[in-house]
Amino acid sequence: MKTKLILSALLLITCLAGFSQEKQSGKTKENSSAGVEKGLIKVSVLYPFAEGKTFDMAYYEAKHMPMVAGFLGSNLVKYTIEKGVASGLPNTPLPFMAIGCFYVKDLAAYQAAIGPNIDAIRADIAVYTNISPVILVSEIIR
Amino acid sequence: MKTKLILSALLLITCLAGFSQEKQSGKTKENSSAGVEKGLIKVSVLYPFAEGKTFDMAYYEAKHMPMVAGFLGSNLVKYTIEKGVASGLPNTPLPFMAIGCFYVKDLAAYQAAIGPNIDAIRADIAVYTNISPVILVSEIIR
């Protein structure tokens, strides 16, 4: 009788301990996911709009970005794609047709991964656009 | 004796059920956080670099962005701040000193919220920079 009582108390404690541990790790995951970008390096590739410029978003999304992402390996945390739709200022032309961004842990590793593949990347850019992109390396503040 | 056995079995089952539910809700939270941006409207405010241009990042982060975010209410999903550190192309000047972005659910609601506050926003911009920002409205593809 006493043994069973002790046994069920032990079971309960073990269970609650596991439960609370899971809760804590869940919280850690959530926090790290919310702040996942802070402190990372962001490489933005901006495609300025001008008359006569073209941009094939379908190809960019399906082929080009996954190709470059593949070169970056585990240094890449995530990448994003956006399509410019308007200028936010009245009577001003659309500033950019598209922007693609790579969020990486380490800039030197990014450069080391891109370097040997730069010719393949440039040749592929010509497939989806006639724009010369602007590239910005930035630090995520928030 | 039998009652105690049933009791501990019940305790164990309840505990495990709670444990597995916690695991599932953790998973759901993670998924929805990963895809939170897709389909949203992004308003990017880009500050082009040029000789003689200044930008007070501390003020921007502590005062300006929270002020504008406050005008946007529940339409705002999140906002981001990045500090430009270099051009990604050799022998090219830094394209932007800073970029601030608002991720909103609805563009019309964004414009309706900013409109009545545009004078306060412009006056505050003069406090932290002498740059005329470029504004891009874009659609999040990925």
Side-chain angles (χ1 to χ4, degrees):
Chain A
M1 192 84 157
K2 222 177 176 180
T3 321
K4 290 279 165 203
L5 205 69
I6 291 168
L7 210 74
S8 38
L10 272 176
L11 262 173
L12 184 64
I13 289 163
T14 313
C15 239
L16 289 177
F19 190 57
S20 109
Q21 212 168 32
E22 178 67 15
K23 267 200 133 148
Q24 276 186 333
S25 82
K27 216 182 264 176
T28 312
K29 232 181 271 165
E30 216 184 327
N31 284 350
S32 70
S33 144
V36 72
E37 296 162 16
K38 189 172 170 157
L40 291 180
I41 295 296
K42 180 180 176 185
V43 180
S44 302
V45 186
L46 306 100
Y47 296 85
F49 169 74
E51 280 305 320
K53 296 298 180 185
T54 58
F55 192 95
D56 181 347
M57 181 58 84
Y59 184 90
Y60 186 64
E61 187 185 0
K63 301 285 180 187
H64 183 77
M65 287 296 275
M67 179 186 85
V68 180
F71 295 146
L72 300 176
S74 64
N75 185 34
L76 181 69
V77 176
K78 70 165 186 172
Y79 70 91
T80 61
I81 298 172
E82 64 191 273
K83 180 187 172 189
V85 293
S87 166
L89 298 170
N91 309 316
T92 311
L94 176 69
F96 299 101
M97 288 190 84
I99 304 177
C101 300
F102 301 99
Y103 292 75
V104 297
K105 297 171 202 159
D106 185 70
L107 182 59
Y110 169 87
Q111 289 163 332
I114 294 299
N117 296 297
I118 195 68
D119 289 343
I121 294 171
R122 284 203 183 122
D124 197 54
I125 291 177
V127 176
Y128 62 85
T129 191
N130 57 358
I131 300 173
S132 294
V134 169
I135 304 182
L136 173 70
V137 177
S138 61
E139 188 190 315
I140 308 289
I141 303 294
R142 181 204 154 102
Chain B
M1 193 79 156
K2 221 175 176 182
T3 321
K4 291 277 166 204
L5 204 71
I6 290 168
L7 211 72
S8 41
L10 272 177
L11 264 173
L12 183 65
I13 288 163
T14 313
C15 240
L16 288 177
F19 191 56
S20 109
Q21 213 168 30
E22 178 68 15
K23 267 200 133 144
Q24 275 185 334
S25 83
K27 215 183 267 177
T28 313
K29 236 180 269 166
E30 217 182 329
N31 283 351
S32 69
S33 142
V36 72
E37 296 163 16
K38 190 173 169 159
L40 291 180
I41 296 297
K42 180 181 179 186
V43 180
S44 302
V45 185
L46 306 101
Y47 296 85
F49 169 75
E51 280 305 320
K53 296 300 181 185
T54 58
F55 192 95
D56 181 347
M57 181 56 85
Y59 184 90
Y60 186 65
E61 189 185 359
K63 300 285 178 187
H64 183 77
M65 288 297 275
M67 179 186 85
V68 179
F71 296 146
L72 300 177
S74 63
N75 186 34
L76 181 69
V77 175
K78 71 164 186 173
Y79 70 90
T80 60
I81 298 172
E82 65 192 271
K83 180 188 174 188
V85 292
S87 166
L89 297 171
N91 309 315
T92 312
L94 177 69
F96 300 101
M97 288 190 85
I99 305 177
C101 301
F102 301 99
Y103 292 75
V104 296
K105 296 170 203 160
D106 185 70
L107 182 60
Y110 169 88
Q111 288 163 331
I114 294 300
N117 296 297
I118 195 69
D119 289 343
I121 294 171
R122 284 203 184 123
D124 196 54
I125 291 178
V127 176
Y128 62 85
T129 191
N130 58 358
I131 301 173
S132 294
V134 169
I135 305 182
L136 173 70
V137 176
S138 61
E139 188 189 316
I140 307 288
I141 303 294
R142 181 206 154 99

